[in-house]
Each structure stands twice: as structure tokens, then as C-alpha cells.
Amino acid sequence: RGAGTMMPGETPPPPAGTAAAAGACANCGVLQQNINEYVAALIALKQKMIDGDRLLTEYQQKCTDILEFSVCVISALRCQVEKMLQKILPLEKCQEELGSLKAELEEKKVCL
């Protein structure tokens, strides 16, 4: 069989530049556009993930800073409470002594 001979029922291939070839090219164009949009969406998603990671890191650092500051403040407050307790204990003893002296004075007053 020669190059130009066809068997019955066989359809010839469409010549270049026909509507079938144009349709295939149009489909390729749509597919390429879809791929480009998909890649752009993936890039945008990746950037959002990077931004989210950065924000999370910043938030964690702020939380760590606040925690460290809170620990320092609590430590300072504990020291102040200890100092106040050290001042209060002698004052309580003085108050007890004053109560005893007052009681003695009351007894002497009654005796006089």
C-alpha cells in the first residue's frame, strides 16, 4: 500500500491548520493557563505559610519576653513581701510588749 492509498473506513489525518488542530491548541492554552493559576495559588499559599510562621515566631518571642518580665516582677514582689514581713515581726513584738505594759499600768492604777 502506498503513502496516498487508504483502506475502506479509514479517515485521513487532518491536515495541519484545520479546526481539529486549532481546537487542540486551544485546549493546550486553557491547560497552560490553569497550570499557571495553580502555580500562582501555590506560591501565594507558600508565602502565607512563611508569613504565618514569621508571625508565630514573633508571637512566641513576645510571650517569652512577657513571661521573663513577669518572673522578674514576681521575684521583686517576693523580695518586697519578705522585707515587709521582716519589718512587721518586730512591730508585732513591740505591740505585744506595749499590751503587757498597758496591763501592768492598769494594775498599778487600780492599786493606787
Side-chain angles (χ1 to χ4, degrees):
R1 182 176 117 169
T5 338
M6 299 205 44
M7 297 293 287
E10 204 176 5
T11 56
T18 61
C25 286
N27 286 342
C28 287
V30 169
L31 180 60
Q32 185 62 49
Q33 174 145 4
N34 288 343
I35 289 172
N36 291 343
E37 289 172 3
Y38 180 70
V39 169
L42 284 176
I43 290 170
L45 180 60
K46 183 178 179 182
Q47 187 59 50
K48 285 181 182 181
M49 289 171 66
I50 290 169
D51 293 344
D53 285 347
R54 182 183 47 78
L55 288 173
L56 184 60
T57 301
E58 288 175 8
Y59 178 73
Q60 285 174 332
Q61 185 59 51
K62 285 180 183 179
C63 288
T64 300
D65 293 345
I66 290 171
L67 183 60
E68 289 173 0
F69 176 74
S70 298
V71 167
C72 289
V73 168
I74 289 169
S75 179
L77 289 173
R78 281 186 179 149
C79 286
Q80 288 179 1
V81 167
E82 287 296 323
K83 287 178 183 176
M84 289 177 70
L85 286 173
Q86 289 172 2
K87 290 178 181 177
I88 288 173
L89 290 175
L91 290 175
E92 287 177 342
K93 287 183 181 179
C94 287
Q95 189 175 15
E96 289 174 14
E97 290 175 9
L98 284 174
S100 298
L101 287 174
K102 186 176 177 184
E104 283 181 35
L105 287 174
E106 287 296 324
E107 286 178 23
K108 288 182 181 180
K109 182 179 172 184
V110 170
C111 291
L112 293 176

